[in-house]
Amino acid sequence: MIPLNRRASQSRAGMEYFDARRKPHNVGKVIAALVLTTLCIFVLKQSPGFGGTSVFSRHESGVTHVLVTGGAGYIGSHASLRLLKDNYRVTIVDNLSRGNMGAVKVLQELFPQPGKLQFIYADLGDQKAVNKIFAENAFDAVMHFAAVAYVGESTMEPLRYYHNITSNTLLILEAMASHGVKTLIYSSTCATYGEPEKMPITEATPQLPINPYGKAKKMAEDIILDFSRTKKAEMAVMILRYFNVIGSDPEGRLGEAPRPELREHGRISGACFDAALGIIPGLKVKGTDYPTTDGTCIRDYIDVTDLVDAHVKALNKAEPSKVGIYNVGTGRGRSVKEFVDACKKATGVNIKIDYLSRRPGDYAEVYSDPTKINTELNWTAQYTDLKKSLSVAWRWQKSHPHGYGTN
């Protein structure tokens, strides 16, 4: 028999011999674990939210972060789509009073990558909410679309328009100033010109608005211009005064979907489509006694795809301590009767037309001279065929008869 202490000794010796053989293998495991841990930490650091911060909250070289107010609306959503396609980082802020969460969801599905797009539900009339948004996000520029925008409605609810357009723009400017955001692309309107004596309208045409919508936008412009002239502002400002917007995304991803209760105040294109779909019995043309060729209003219809292209070009050309003011239109006026004829052809429906008296606050004729924007921003309207623009929009309307709610 082997003594107990000798057997124990042999046992320890055997264990030591066994461990000695496995040591290199264990070292390899440790090294592999360290490499894996390091890799995990690196990946975590690259992910949004590591350390409690989001990529949206810090500036990043080579990435321009744009705040798009009203980005759930008709024009704002199309502008967001273009910015995202062009590799901008986008934050949409909207209270959805006029916008559609469905449009935001389309954008989120198209651009699901982390750090690409975020949506914040907020009212721009809430100063604390606006300051919080600017404090928690590192914006490089603001595209300010958010606004109520119906001429007829503005004559019935003027105080709402002054608050929503003028006051909210002031709050945005104050937040930009407090948080060092220096670039603003402002969505304005040809309604600031009122009813000029001479056509076409240039940027030098006197601004004499005749309805609360145009007046509120003119006041907002004045506030922006006054602030931009101060030395400490160093603002890069672009003000785009655009005309009557039509059309939709050529690839059919987005369209115009006003709330049902606002249809009577909406764009003529929306009313045409509603009549073609049978949602309303016919189209109401308000005013046939204007001093124009056929008695109906004359407008400059600009396709939304061209409009957002002008915004992106303006953003790229914006310079510190400089202000650019541009009309965005085709330079060609079309009568309401011409528009209705084009809509009938685009939809293939013989829409019933009811001719009524004038709408309060409307003006007879307005179309742009786009020479300045052509020359300085190298922008020219490309989608100028009225029937084609309406045909594109009609395809979206047909496939979304209830807007974004039910496809």
Side-chain angles (χ1 to χ4, degrees):
M1 291 182 61
I2 301 173
L4 183 61
N5 61 346
R6 187 177 173 189
R7 285 170 57 187
S9 175
Q10 284 184 340
S11 177
R12 285 196 297 270
M15 288 181 64
E16 288 168 4
Y17 173 72
F18 179 73
D19 286 346
R21 282 187 6 181
R22 289 187 52 136
K23 194 172 183 180
H25 183 60
N26 286 345
V27 169
K29 281 188 174 181
V30 170
I31 292 171
L34 286 171
V35 170
L36 184 60
T37 302
T38 304
L39 182 62
C40 287
I41 292 171
F42 175 78
V43 170
L44 280 169
K45 282 186 175 180
Q46 303 309 307
S47 66
F50 178 81
T53 62
S54 161
V55 292
F56 292 94
S57 67
R58 58 180 183 268
H59 293 287
E60 187 175 333
S61 177
V63 178
T64 302
H65 184 184
V66 183
L67 165 62
V68 181
T69 71
Y74 169 45
I75 299 171
S77 62
H78 282 77
S80 297
L81 174 60
R82 171 61 188 273
L83 289 168
L84 290 162
K85 283 172 64 179
D86 287 0
N87 293 317
Y88 288 86
R89 177 171 291 154
V90 174
T91 292
I92 291 173
V93 172
D94 203 301
N95 68 358
L96 302 178
S97 62
R98 298 290 166 96
N100 292 278
M101 192 60 204
V104 176
K105 288 178 179 177
V106 168
L107 296 173
Q108 289 171 333
E109 289 169 4
L110 289 170
F111 301 94
Q113 304 92 334
K116 192 74 173 168
L117 168 67
Q118 70 169 335
F119 171 74
I120 299 173
Y121 176 83
D123 190 324
L124 296 180
D126 183 338
Q127 187 174 26
K128 288 184 178 179
V130 172
N131 280 325
K132 185 173 186 289
I133 289 166
F134 274 82
E136 294 178 354
N137 292 276
F139 299 125
D140 298 297
V142 175
M143 279 193 183
H144 184 28
F145 293 99
V148 285
Y150 295 124
V151 168
E153 184 186 50
S154 77
T155 64
M156 295 183 286
E157 299 184 62
L159 296 183
R160 179 180 188 178
Y161 272 66
Y162 293 123
H163 176 81
N164 180 274
I165 294 172
T166 311
S167 297
N168 288 4
T169 299
L170 177 58
L171 292 181
I172 287 286
L173 276 177
E174 288 175 339
M176 290 179 70
S178 296
H179 298 278
V181 183
K182 301 290 187 179
T183 302
L184 173 65
I185 314 300
Y186 183 62
S187 166
S188 193
T189 172
C190 63
T192 63
Y193 293 113
E195 196 167 12
E197 295 180 0
K198 184 180 177 181
M199 287 291 146
I201 294 173
T202 71
E203 289 78 4
T205 297
Q207 289 178 286
L208 301 168
I210 63 173
N211 53 61
Y213 172 57
K215 291 175 183 177
K217 284 285 190 180
K218 167 85 166 50
M219 289 180 188
E221 281 193 19
D222 289 342
I223 293 169
I224 293 167
L225 293 174
D226 285 345
F227 177 63
S228 69
R229 292 187 186 105
T230 62
K231 287 185 179 180
K232 69 175 184 179
E234 297 179 342
M235 292 279 288
V237 173
M238 293 291 203
I239 295 173
L240 303 185
R241 297 171 183 157
Y242 40 88
F243 290 67
N244 293 66
V245 188
I246 61 170
S248 63
D249 170 43
E251 295 183 40
R253 295 163 294 189
L254 297 170
E256 183 178 12
R259 296 188 179 280
E261 66 271 19
L262 297 170
R263 289 184 188 277
E264 66 174 293
H265 299 298
R267 304 175 205 278
I268 186 173
S269 56
C272 273
F273 296 144
D274 283 349
L277 289 166
I279 295 172
I280 58 175
L283 179 64
K284 297 176 181 179
V285 174
K286 298 180 180 181
T288 58
D289 59 345
Y290 288 99
T292 60
T293 305
D294 60 24
T296 61
C297 293
I298 289 177
R299 297 289 182 266
D300 188 341
Y301 296 99
I302 176 76
D303 193 287
V304 68
T305 302
D306 283 326
L307 180 60
V308 299
D309 182 54
H311 280 78
V312 173
K313 281 186 165 64
L315 177 59
N316 291 334
K317 289 280 189 176
E319 297 181 37
S321 301
K322 291 189 178 181
V323 175
I325 299 174
Y326 301 97
N327 290 334
V328 188
T330 65
R332 179 182 173 188
R334 320 280 184 90
S335 75
V336 170
K337 281 186 177 178
E338 284 182 83
F339 187 96
V340 171
D341 288 341
C343 192
K344 286 181 177 180
K345 291 175 183 176
T347 61
V349 178
N350 187 22
I351 300 165
K352 179 189 173 185
I353 310 297
D354 293 324
Y355 294 99
L356 306 173
S357 58
R358 296 184 185 188
R359 182 175 62 176
D362 264 343
Y363 28 85
E365 184 179 30
V366 56
Y367 61 94
S368 71
D369 177 352
T371 301
K372 186 180 179 185
I373 193 170
N374 294 165
T375 303
E376 295 185 9
L377 298 190
N378 193 30
W379 177 91
T380 304
Q382 303 296 317
Y383 298 83
T384 57
D385 186 309
L386 203 55
K387 178 178 172 292
K388 286 184 179 178
S389 288
L390 291 172
S391 295
V392 169
W394 173 240
R395 285 198 297 271
W396 191 88
Q397 293 291 333
K398 277 198 302 182
S399 60
H400 300 75
H402 304 289
Y404 290 99
T406 305
N407 294 351

